[in-house]
Amino acid sequence: MLDRVWKSTLGKKFLMAVTGTGLVLFVFVHMMGNLQMFLGPEVINRYAAMLQTSIEFLWPARFGLAIFALVHIGTGITLTWQNRQTRDQRYATRKLVKATLASRTMLWTGSFVALYVVYHLLHFTIGTIDLHLAEMKTPDGHRDVYRMLIWAFQDSRVACGYILAMGVLCFHLSHGIGALFQSLGIKKPGYEPLIYRLARLAALGLLVGFVSVPVAVQLGWLQ
Amino acid sequence: MKLDARIPSGPVPQKWSVCKRDLKLVAPNNKRKYEILVVGTGLAGSSAAATLAELGYQVKVFCLQDSPRRAHSVAAQGGINAAKNYQNDGDSVHRLFYDTIKGGDFRSREANVFRLAEVSVNIIDQCAAQGVPFAREYSGYLTNRSFGGAQVSRTFYARGQTGQQLLLGCYQAMLRQAHLGQVRIFPRTEMLDLVVVNGHAKGIVVRDLLTGKISSHAGDAVVLATGGYTNVFYLSTSGRGSNVTAIWRAYKKGAAFANPCFTQIHPTCIPVSGDYQSKLTLMSESLRNDGRVWVPKQPGDKRPPAEIPESDRDYYLERMYPAYGNLAPRDISSRATKRVCDEGRGVGPGGLGVYLDFSDALRRLGRSVIAERYGNLFEMYEEITAENAYETPMRIYPAPHYAMGGLWVDYHLMSNLPGLFVIGEANFSDHGANRLGASALMQGLADGYFILPYTIGNYIATAKQTRPQPDAAEFRESEAEVAATIKRLLAIRGKKTVRQFHKDLGKILWEKCGMARTAAGLQQALKEIPTLREEFWQNVSVPGDDADLNQSLEHAGRVADFFELGELMCRDALARNESCGGHFREEYQTADGECQRNDTEFAHVACWEYRSAQQPPVRHIEPLTFEEAHLAERSYK
Amino acid sequence: MKLKLRVWRQKNAHTPGQFVEYHADNLNPNMSFLEMLDVVNEQIAAKGEEPIAFDHDCREGICGACSCVINGEPHGPHDKVTTCQTYLRSFQDGATVTIEPFRANAFPLIKDLVVDRTAFDRIIQAGGYISVGTGHPPDANSLPVPKPLADLAMDAAACIGCGACVAACKNASAMLFVAAKVSHLNLLPQGQPERDVRALAMVDQMDKEGFGACTVTLSCQAVCPKGISGSFIAKMNRDFLRAMLLNP
């Protein structure tokens, strides 16, 4: 069966969709975490400390996410490569009926997001890009996430880069969330327009959620 | 020429049982030693190929199209008849049999027609089991509608795509056998000759349409299921590729051609709009269930239809044939339409059209019911004419649609050439001088699923012929002839295109051998066609070569055969001094303009025997006797 | 009316092709697109040159033979019709019209606008049927099929196998074609016994033929002359997953 999952296009799409679902859920949880910025330093720092200290939870989650990301990227690249082999002679005129920009650029938006994730990890999680961040601790010795974010997003280059990356991510998701229902076969005839509209709405919601923090910092609402 | 119809003894309703009882069988382990060649993949060909393969024979299948699924059966819209009596409206095998005999104006073979009605019920069961998505009631049971020439609802349908769905059913059954290795399919391959060895049909010569390669296939029996020849009229409802070539070459190898002049002109087609027109589009007869046909009472009334009050309209089918009304059979309706148009009461450009009006039904049933029944037909009409039939009546006019004539076959569906079986529209057997709506699908599948697979075994078991090698002398000769004809066509390099010749031939036939025929007109046609044919062979332009796909060359070969067929049709029409069904000789009509049959002299099948290019063909007859259905005047009044 | 045509001409699979321009004059807006090509072909043939080869047969939108990508759209600008049912009134007088064959490696070019779509037959051959032999199956009414189900199966069965879905898909994917057949048969009670093998076998064959994967752009649905819904692809995905899980 595993053989068939990997060898068939449908199986690979299935892997894409399952890992994509996992990653989307993570993105959602991440956003919920970020939004706690608006509840004040104690709340978000307590949340961060809870995550940091639950090693039994943290590492399996990190491990799982890494595997999901790798499988998602692996199937994405393989499928795109396969799809490129299907039409040697291209059309001279091409009206791209229906195929949205998001659907046609999944590999590029996906690659950008992957690279940004690496940068993002180096920046916040590992802390090798901005050495100041690693020094910010709360009195009880945990990371002061609240201050870290304010500090980082006060730098307009960081904020802009972040906003751009979230834009690309949500653009990627605007197609991905809708498509995963198709690949997983969760659909009833007549419901597609609704599914796609909700998917785009969800992507937009994620975008607003993520972008609200740097924007609030830049506007001085969060200090 | 020996024409033994081999009709079994006994009363008509028992004949098929008697026949099956007496048929010799081929043992299962022996069947795989026999190879059967099936030409054509419409309903008849595909169903036969699938069934023969299931029985264990090795089957080779040939078709012109790039896929067997595109054979022109796919275009049948309205439905398929079967004497299921699901509607409890008094249907029975006997009634379907009688309707078909009467619909054919008593010019078909009683025993064959009875068998057709008898196996019709199995067809529906078979197709439903294959997953054909027939229309259903909310109960989940099958539903029916009515068609012309019947007073019961016995027509099963799958929206307006019944032919397509039935064809996909047998196409899929055939591909299943291909998957199992029992069937080999040769698409884009055209049969160009029949090979006869020791008096038995033992093979065919084909041309690969992509490479031009000519090759031979030898078999233990040859089955022709190549459809009808109404493209001889140039404009018809047939697919553009439909042609007479396979059965014509078989005729020239000794198979009798029966009733070539029996062609059906379908009353409800979209009228011709210009001389660029390449084909005529049928609007399903099922539309006449709810549509009413009318013309203005006054000749030359140019008012738009909505402005013509009821009192100035002539619902001529309802007036002339009150018992059947708008569901009068096709030949009768077409002729009535021609008559009102000849009186100058036709509508639309050129006055060649009548209204098919749904306003009453729309008022009675509402738009959604009409859309459910005929939505795709209304859409199709709008695509073609840019008119919305929900708001303004459709305009329709008759067009050539079906060939009742074809190669002569006996009760076993074998031609007078042993080993040559002919099924579906390609044979002549079941529809007499006129076919009823929704009966062609029935016949194609009856022949292919339930009749031929029995009778072909009897031939194989009794003929005891060995299969020749495809490099035998007879094959070599045929290949050389075929190659020579192709070379000759390519060498002419004349000035006039194949299509132009085809159009010219079609015009002669439509005018002189179409809906109404006269002795003088037919004699005239018999002078014009040979002249045109001479010109063809001197002045046709066939560009390109023989090594790649060459559609002009394919067309040229088919038109060459149409010339010869056209001549035979006129000969046949001229020799049949009576009017019956679709064959209307103006000299033979009743006082009110109906067909006047002559049962004492013409209650027979006319079977033409080819002799040579120099000698005219010989007309033989197979007398028709009627025991179960008594000869009667055919009235729908 | 007049049109300027740019038509892909290619003698055969081994010879490179190119666009050739033709001027089509004296056209009638009520002509079908293929009738316009007929007229152009008559002019070409009258000069003794080889006419443009294109597949066509029924010319009423049901056989699935006609193809062509017209101005970048399979079956031309009009929705839910085939090329043969496209009429010149869909074009502007004097417009330039580019006509190309369906392009996909799984549909090798044969000549001019003619391509080889036998890959579709092989996919059906792999499992697109209900394995019932000719014989005496039970009475058709002994197996009632709920009307909504029968209607849905008919929606899927309406596929004409033209290949426009493949031509339009950026990945040349045949998912809509395969999904239509899988759904037609897998929806019906008659098709249940072979539901799993059918989905597995047809998808395997589809992959073998070199069609691409589905990126769920639904351009296939947009160009389908029979308006087959892309939701059948979800149905097939579901059937395929189920089959994979139940038949490890």
Side-chain angles (χ1 to χ4, degrees), chain A residues 143-164:
Chain A
R143 287 181 152 195
D144 189 344
V145 173
Y146 188 83
R147 266 205 299 149
M148 284 167 74
L149 287 191
I150 302 282
W151 169 264
F153 286 146
Q154 270 169 349
D155 183 336
S156 55
R157 287 168 308 169
V158 173
C160 287
Y162 185 82
I163 292 171
L164 175 72

Side-chain angles (χ1 to χ4, degrees), chain B residues 208-224:
Chain B
D208 181 327
L209 298 181
L210 298 185
T211 61
K213 189 170 174 286
I214 291 165
S215 60
S216 294
H217 295 268
D220 294 283
V222 177
V223 180
L224 299 186

